[in-house]
Amino acid sequence: MGFYAEHIVPRILDKACGLEAATPFRQRACSGLAGEVVEIGFGSGLNLPHYPAEVVSVAAVDPSDVGWKLAAQRLEQATVPVRRAGLDGQRLPFDDDSFDTALSTWTMCTIPDLVAALQELRRVLRPGGTLHFVEHGLAPDEKVRRTQRRMEPFNKRIFGGCHLTRPITDLITGAGFEIKELDRYYEPGAPKFAGADSLGVAVSA
Ligand SMILES: C[S@@+](CC[C@H](N)C(=O)[O-])C[C@H]1O[C@@H](n2cnc3c(N)ncnc32)[C@H](O)[C@@H]1O
């Protein structure tokens, strides 16, 4: 991994993902999390203040050492035990049926093989466990999609492999989840091509 990807990208993501405008969406995605939780794409721990009291522990999965360092203060203030338990959402180092709930926020854009990561989440979630997500992806409008296709190569280069055109909800259901809550919207204040969000809860059948 080069210097930019290893040291600069996690700092850019910490600032960009840490914007106040994202807070209500993080709160909504974290609402209902309970028990043993696995969070893929933990980054700099921006979800930590939003974990509900029902969460017993968090297994954080992310390849970025710099992201983990940037999380230090939030980890100190966390009210639940958090351990850095894995580096790659595509290959989770956990037994089957180990978790009650899972969380992914603005991460499904970046994991190279998202299908593999979703299959892994299904494997490690107990039957009936839920995946809570807020993710940006393919926009509902063709005009915005055209911009997304144009911008995607630059976006991937600047933001550590972040795709703009992934059909997030199709990929979640394609992996065998059933979506039971879903809100689709453009993030206020963000360009539409980068802010076409899907926020919801999916059940591992
Ligand atoms: C846009 S950031 C989002 C971070 C965090 N979820 C948030 O909401 O602030 C995407 C994150 O995915 C992580 N990531 C990249 N590849 C990954 C992989 N294979 N498995 C797990 N996480 C990965 C990156 O290191 C980065 O922290």
Side-chain angles (χ1 to χ4, degrees):
M1 198 189 287
F3 183 85
Y4 178 77
E6 191 176 343
H7 292 278
I8 308 296
V9 170
R11 290 182 166 85
I12 293 176
L13 295 178
D14 180 50
K15 295 290 175 220
C17 295
L19 292 174
E20 196 49 42
T23 299
F25 304 113
R26 286 188 190 282
Q27 282 167 345
R28 285 174 61 193
C30 292
S31 159
L33 288 169
E36 305 290 336
V37 178
V38 55
E39 178 175 351
I40 58 163
F42 181 80
S44 55
L46 290 164
N47 291 316
L48 284 173
H50 309 298
Y51 273 107
E54 290 76 14
V55 171
V56 171
S57 78
V58 178
V61 177
D62 199 296
S64 173
D65 294 339
V66 172
W68 184 252
K69 281 184 197 142
L70 293 171
Q73 199 178 346
R74 291 178 199 107
L75 285 163
E76 261 175 45
Q77 291 166 355
T79 51
V80 289
V82 182
R83 65 191 193 285
R84 191 173 180 205
L87 299 178
D88 185 359
Q90 300 161 129
R91 275 187 306 257
L92 294 174
F94 311 121
D95 292 338
D96 297 358
D97 305 342
S98 317
F99 294 96
D100 302 296
T101 51
L103 176 65
S104 175
T105 62
W106 296 291
T107 289
M108 295 187 193
C109 51
T110 300
I111 294 181
D113 186 347
L114 178 54
V115 171
L118 288 166
Q119 285 167 350
E120 278 291 84
L121 284 177
R122 271 204 77 208
R123 181 183 67 73
V124 303
L125 274 173
R126 64 167 171 74
T130 47
L131 165 62
H132 297 235
F133 59 91
V134 55
E135 299 289 343
H136 73 88
L138 189 65
D141 306 296
E142 183 48 37
K143 195 171 158 216
V144 181
R145 288 182 180 190
R146 276 201 295 276
T147 310
Q148 290 184 314
R149 286 191 283 268
R150 227 177 32 248
M151 295 297 290
E152 187 158 70
F154 307 105
N155 204 74
K156 282 165 70 177
R157 228 170 288 148
I158 295 166
F159 295 109
C162 171
H163 295 71
L164 295 170
T165 59
R166 286 188 167 166
I168 296 296
T169 51
D170 290 351
L171 290 165
I172 291 173
T173 51
F177 286 94
E178 191 188 328
I179 294 182
K180 62 171 200 174
E181 288 172 29
L182 181 64
D183 185 11
R184 300 197 69 185
Y185 56 87
Y186 289 109
E187 276 176 52
K192 283 187 173 179
F193 71 83
D197 277 7
S198 301
L199 187 159
V201 178
V203 185
S204 175

